[in-house]
Amino acid sequence: MKKRVYCLTGLGKLQAILSLDCKIADEKTSKKLFDLMNLVKKNQANWKDIPNLINDMVLADKEIMQRNITKLKNVRINMKEVEYITGKFNGQDVAFKREWGGHKFTDTEVQALLAGQSIKIRVKSGEVSGRLARQQYNDTLFWGFKAEDKTYDEAVYATGMYDGEEVHFKRVWGNHIFTTNEIQTLLAGGSVSFDTAKGNVKGILAKQKYKGKSFWGFKPEIDIDPDNYVTGKFRGKIIKFKRVWGGHRFTDEEVAALLAGKVISFRNINDFQVEYTAHGKLAKQSFKNSEGKTIKYYGFKFLTPEAAAEFKLKE
């Protein structure tokens, strides 16, 4: 942003020029595709028409982009260059990126890394300790800053195996200090309850998020209306989802199958009073509310007969 005006980056400018007059950059095309997918969802259109439509659009846009390349000759595009540090590490010539996680290493930090020392830097997620190390990404070897594994104070954190994964969580929740038996129960996937100043609290151990950062900790169970919602374990996580979809109330057998990650099918009636077979599975989904905020939830996801058959083959 310059003088309170948003400016395109080098890549953004490049993309804008190449996609000029392309259908892929036209909001009307996006609306047309979404409308067509909604018709498919309602069984009012053939899903096979969508790939053909997209294929024709891509072929046409490819020719337009090839013509747009000539427009780049007289356009100056500033691409940010990646700065590398070169030096000796254990007697070997190495080169590594000067930035890591948005942090630019100072000259003092660079010298410490080349000397094999561990340094502490501050990034958006907090303070990180690390050192220079040779690493591998997609079969490519490179030198760079490598964060060291976080250490946990045993007096503050409990450590154990949960569903085959080593986890760490705080021994205290509110003013309650978990006993050894409670910790073992939580690690086994069970629930514990205890009294607090606000009353009795019951909960489980769960992976959670706070300000975009994942952590393990005690999670109080929320009282959910059993007539309208189902609560259960799905892929190692306690979730809730609506018991009714499109007027159909899931049976206990269907609920068990959904929580097991299986595809279910049932007869249903649409808004036009036409009977049809609905196929679907439990999945994490999202929608935008009236304020434009993305709301994530678990629920029954409708599948086309072809998609349902493909998922069933994988079960």
Side-chain angles (χ1 to χ4, degrees):
M1 179 181 284
K2 297 180 180 179
K3 295 183 179 179
R4 302 183 68 81
V5 176
Y6 284 103
C7 300
L8 288 174
T9 62
L11 284 174
K13 200 172 186 179
L14 179 65
Q15 182 181 354
I17 294 172
L18 287 176
S19 60
L20 189 66
D21 297 327
C22 289
K23 288 185 178 180
I24 199 170
D26 188 354
E27 60 182 18
K28 292 181 181 178
T29 301
S30 298
K31 184 179 185 305
K32 183 178 179 181
L33 287 172
F34 278 112
D35 289 343
L36 185 57
M37 286 189 285
N38 284 330
L39 290 175
V40 171
K41 187 176 181 180
K42 296 177 181 178
N43 288 331
Q44 295 176 3
N46 191 341
W47 68 271
K48 294 181 180 179
D49 294 336
I50 298 179
N52 294 330
L53 180 64
I54 295 175
N55 186 55
D56 293 341
M57 180 184 69
V58 170
L59 290 175
D61 282 354
K62 185 178 179 181
E63 293 182 3
I64 296 172
M65 286 185 177
Q66 287 174 337
R67 292 198 300 268
N68 287 341
I69 291 176
T70 59
K71 298 177 182 179
L72 296 172
K73 293 181 180 179
N74 300 320
V75 179
R76 185 178 178 182
I77 297 177
N78 295 320
M79 303 294 286
K80 183 181 178 182
E81 294 184 2
V82 178
E83 184 180 356
Y84 278 84
I85 295 294
T86 57
K88 291 279 188 181
F89 180 76
N90 288 339
Q92 180 181 353
D93 290 323
V94 298
F96 61 96
K97 290 182 180 180
R98 181 141 200 165
E99 285 192 17
W100 188 89
H103 173 80
K104 187 172 183 178
F105 300 118
T106 65
D107 291 341
T108 302
E109 290 170 338
V110 168
Q111 293 306 314
L113 290 171
L114 289 171
Q117 299 174 9
S118 174
I119 64 171
K120 286 184 179 180
I121 60 174
R122 182 160 289 280
V123 294
K124 287 183 179 180
S125 59
E127 195 175 68
V128 178
S129 296
R131 61 181 70 238
L132 187 61
R134 197 178 190 194
Q135 303 167 64
Q136 184 173 332
Y137 179 74
N138 287 344
D139 298 326
T140 301
L141 294 171
F142 68 97
W143 286 93
F145 179 81
K146 184 177 182 180
E148 297 173 334
D149 292 335
K150 184 177 179 181
T151 56
Y152 293 87
D153 186 348
E154 292 184 1
V156 180
Y157 289 89
T159 300
M161 300 299 292
Y162 181 86
D163 264 358
E165 177 184 354
E166 185 178 73
V167 300
H168 312 270
F169 62 97
K170 288 186 176 180
R171 294 178 176 272
V172 178
W173 189 88
N175 292 322
H176 177 76
I177 302 174
F178 295 114
T179 65
T180 301
N181 287 337
E182 288 173 335
I183 289 172
Q184 293 304 317
T185 300
L186 291 171
L187 288 170
S191 62
V192 300
S193 61
F194 49 85
D195 293 324
T196 67
K198 295 183 179 180
N200 187 266
V201 175
K202 183 180 180 182
I204 58 169
L205 181 61
K207 195 172 186 178
Q208 305 167 61
K209 272 193 175 182
Y210 179 71
K211 293 184 177 180
K213 188 175 181 180
S214 298
F215 70 97
W216 284 89
F218 177 78
K219 185 177 182 181
E221 293 179 348
I222 303 173
D223 292 331
I224 300 297
D225 182 1
D227 290 331
N228 296 316
Y229 284 89
V230 173
T231 56
K233 200 170 186 178
F234 180 65
R235 295 177 180 171
K237 182 179 181 181
I238 301 297
I239 65 161
K240 66 171 183 177
F241 65 94
K242 286 186 177 181
R243 183 138 202 160
V244 177
W245 181 89
H248 174 78
R249 184 178 179 83
F250 300 119
T251 64
D252 291 341
E253 290 78 12
E254 289 171 337
V255 168
L258 289 171
L259 289 171
K262 295 182 178 180
V263 173
I264 66 169
S265 302
F266 53 86
R267 298 295 292 172
N268 205 19
I269 299 176
N270 63 19
D271 295 337
F272 302 100
Q273 300 303 304
V274 177
E275 190 174 4
Y276 69 99
T277 300
H279 310 275
K281 64 187 183 73
L282 189 59
K284 192 173 186 179
Q285 305 174 63
S286 65
F287 70 94
K288 287 192 175 182
N289 62 14
S290 58
E291 298 176 352
K293 184 179 179 181
T294 301
I295 306 298
K296 296 180 180 180
Y297 69 98
Y298 282 91
F300 179 78
K301 184 177 182 180
F302 180 85
L303 297 173
T304 63
E306 293 80 7
E310 186 177 344
F311 274 108
K312 285 184 177 180
L313 286 174
K314 296 178 181 179
E315 292 179 357

Coordinates of all heavy atoms in Angstrom, one line a residue, residues 89-90 92-96 113 116 131-137 139-147:
F89 N 30.8 -22.5 7.0 CA 30.2 -23.2 8.1 C 30.9 -24.6 8.2 O 30.8 -25.4 7.4 CB 28.7 -23.4 7.8 CG 27.9 -24.1 8.9 CD1 27.6 -23.4 10.1 CD2 27.6 -25.5 8.8 CE1 26.9 -24.1 11.1 CE2 26.9 -26.1 9.8 CZ 26.6 -25.4 11.0
N90 N 31.6 -24.7 9.4 CA 32.4 -25.9 9.6 C 33.3 -26.2 8.4 O 33.5 -27.3 8.0 CB 31.5 -27.1 9.8 CG 30.8 -27.1 11.1 OD1 31.2 -26.4 12.1 ND2 29.6 -27.8 11.3
Q92 N 33.0 -25.4 5.4 CA 32.3 -25.6 4.1 C 31.6 -24.3 3.6 O 31.0 -23.6 4.4 CB 31.3 -26.7 4.2 CG 30.5 -27.0 3.0 CD 29.5 -28.1 3.2 OE1 29.4 -28.8 4.2 NE2 28.6 -28.4 2.2
D93 N 31.7 -24.0 2.3 CA 31.0 -22.9 1.7 C 29.5 -23.2 1.7 O 29.1 -24.2 1.1 CB 31.5 -22.6 0.3 CG 32.9 -22.1 0.3 OD1 33.3 -21.3 1.2 OD2 33.7 -22.4 -0.6
V94 N 28.7 -22.3 2.3 CA 27.2 -22.5 2.3 C 26.6 -21.2 1.9 O 27.2 -20.1 2.0 CB 26.7 -22.9 3.7 CG1 27.3 -24.2 4.1 CG2 27.0 -21.8 4.8
A95 N 25.3 -21.3 1.5 CA 24.5 -20.1 1.2 C 23.1 -20.4 1.8 O 22.6 -21.5 1.6 CB 24.4 -19.9 -0.3
F96 N 22.5 -19.4 2.4 CA 21.1 -19.6 3.0 C 20.4 -18.3 3.0 O 21.0 -17.2 2.9 CB 21.2 -20.1 4.4 CG 21.9 -19.2 5.4 CD1 21.2 -18.4 6.2 CD2 23.3 -19.3 5.6 CE1 21.9 -17.5 7.1 CE2 24.0 -18.5 6.5 CZ 23.3 -17.6 7.3
L113 N 25.0 -17.9 13.5 CA 24.6 -19.0 12.8 C 25.7 -19.7 12.1 O 25.9 -21.0 12.1 CB 23.5 -18.7 11.8 CG 22.2 -18.2 12.4 CD1 21.3 -17.7 11.3 CD2 21.5 -19.4 13.1
G116 N 27.8 -21.9 14.2 CA 27.1 -23.1 14.7 C 26.4 -22.9 16.0 O 26.0 -23.8 16.7
R131 N 19.0 -22.9 14.7 CA 20.4 -22.8 14.3 C 20.5 -23.2 12.8 O 19.5 -23.6 12.2 CB 21.3 -23.7 15.1 CG 21.0 -25.2 15.0 CD 21.9 -26.0 15.9 NE 21.7 -25.8 17.3 CZ 22.6 -25.4 18.2 NH1 23.8 -25.1 17.7 NH2 22.3 -25.3 19.4
L132 N 21.6 -22.9 12.2 CA 21.8 -23.2 10.8 C 22.0 -24.8 10.6 O 22.7 -25.4 11.3 CB 23.1 -22.5 10.3 CG 23.4 -22.6 8.8 CD1 22.2 -22.0 8.0 CD2 24.7 -21.9 8.4
A133 N 21.3 -25.3 9.6 CA 21.4 -26.7 9.4 C 21.1 -27.1 7.9 O 20.4 -26.3 7.2 CB 20.4 -27.5 10.3
R134 N 21.6 -28.2 7.5 CA 21.3 -28.7 6.2 C 20.0 -29.5 6.2 O 19.8 -30.4 7.1 CB 22.4 -29.6 5.7 CG 22.4 -29.8 4.1 CD 23.5 -30.7 3.6 NE 23.6 -30.6 2.2 CZ 24.4 -31.5 1.5 NH1 25.1 -32.4 2.1 NH2 24.4 -31.4 0.2
Q135 N 19.1 -29.1 5.3 CA 17.7 -29.7 5.4 C 17.4 -30.3 4.0 O 18.1 -30.1 3.0 CB 16.7 -28.7 5.8 CG 17.1 -28.1 7.2 CD 16.3 -26.8 7.5 OE1 15.1 -26.9 7.6 NE2 17.0 -25.7 7.6
Q136 N 16.2 -30.9 3.9 CA 15.7 -31.5 2.7 C 14.2 -31.1 2.5 O 13.4 -31.2 3.4 CB 15.9 -33.0 2.7 CG 15.5 -33.6 1.3 CD 15.9 -35.1 1.3 OE1 16.8 -35.5 1.9 NE2 15.1 -35.9 0.5
Y137 N 13.9 -30.7 1.3 CA 12.5 -30.4 0.9 C 12.2 -31.0 -0.5 O 12.9 -30.5 -1.4 CB 12.2 -28.9 1.0 CG 10.8 -28.6 0.6 CD1 9.7 -28.9 1.5 CD2 10.5 -28.0 -0.6 CE1 8.4 -28.6 1.2 CE2 9.2 -27.7 -0.9 CZ 8.1 -28.0 0.0 OH 6.8 -27.7 -0.4
D139 N 13.1 -33.7 -1.9 CA 14.3 -34.3 -2.5 C 15.4 -33.3 -2.8 O 16.4 -33.7 -3.4 CB 14.0 -35.2 -3.8 CG 13.0 -36.3 -3.5 OD1 13.1 -36.9 -2.4 OD2 12.2 -36.7 -4.3
T140 N 15.2 -32.1 -2.4 CA 16.2 -31.0 -2.6 C 16.9 -30.7 -1.3 O 16.2 -30.3 -0.4 CB 15.5 -29.8 -3.3 OG1 14.9 -30.1 -4.5 CG2 16.6 -28.7 -3.5
L141 N 18.2 -30.7 -1.3 CA 19.0 -30.4 -0.1 C 19.3 -28.9 -0.1 O 19.5 -28.3 -1.2 CB 20.3 -31.2 0.0 CG 20.1 -32.7 0.1 CD1 21.5 -33.4 0.0 CD2 19.5 -33.0 1.5
F142 N 19.2 -28.3 1.1 CA 19.5 -26.8 1.1 C 20.0 -26.5 2.6 O 19.7 -27.2 3.5 CB 18.2 -26.0 0.8 CG 17.1 -26.1 1.8 CD1 17.0 -25.2 2.8 CD2 16.2 -27.2 1.8 CE1 16.0 -25.3 3.8 CE2 15.2 -27.3 2.7 CZ 15.1 -26.3 3.7
W143 N 20.6 -25.4 2.7 CA 21.0 -24.8 4.0 C 20.1 -23.7 4.4 O 19.6 -22.9 3.6 CB 22.5 -24.3 3.9 CG 23.5 -25.3 3.8 CD1 24.1 -25.8 2.7 CD2 24.1 -26.0 5.0 NE1 25.0 -26.8 3.0 CE2 25.1 -26.9 4.4 CE3 24.0 -25.9 6.3 CZ2 25.9 -27.7 5.2 CZ3 24.8 -26.7 7.1 CH2 25.7 -27.6 6.6
G144 N 19.7 -23.7 5.7 CA 18.8 -22.7 6.2 C 18.6 -22.8 7.7 O 19.1 -23.7 8.4
F145 N 17.9 -21.8 8.2 CA 17.6 -21.7 9.6 C 16.6 -22.8 10.0 O 15.6 -23.0 9.3 CB 17.0 -20.4 10.0 CG 16.6 -20.2 11.4 CD1 17.6 -19.9 12.4 CD2 15.3 -20.4 11.8 CE1 17.2 -19.8 13.7 CE2 14.9 -20.2 13.2 CZ 15.9 -19.9 14.1
K146 N 16.9 -23.6 11.0 CA 16.0 -24.7 11.4 C 15.6 -24.5 12.9 O 16.4 -24.4 13.8 CB 16.7 -26.0 11.2 CG 15.8 -27.2 11.5 CD 16.5 -28.6 11.3 CE 15.5 -29.7 11.6 NZ 16.2 -31.0 11.4
A147 N 14.3 -24.4 13.1 CA 13.8 -24.2 14.4 C 14.0 -25.4 15.2 O 13.8 -26.6 14.7 CB 12.3 -23.9 14.4

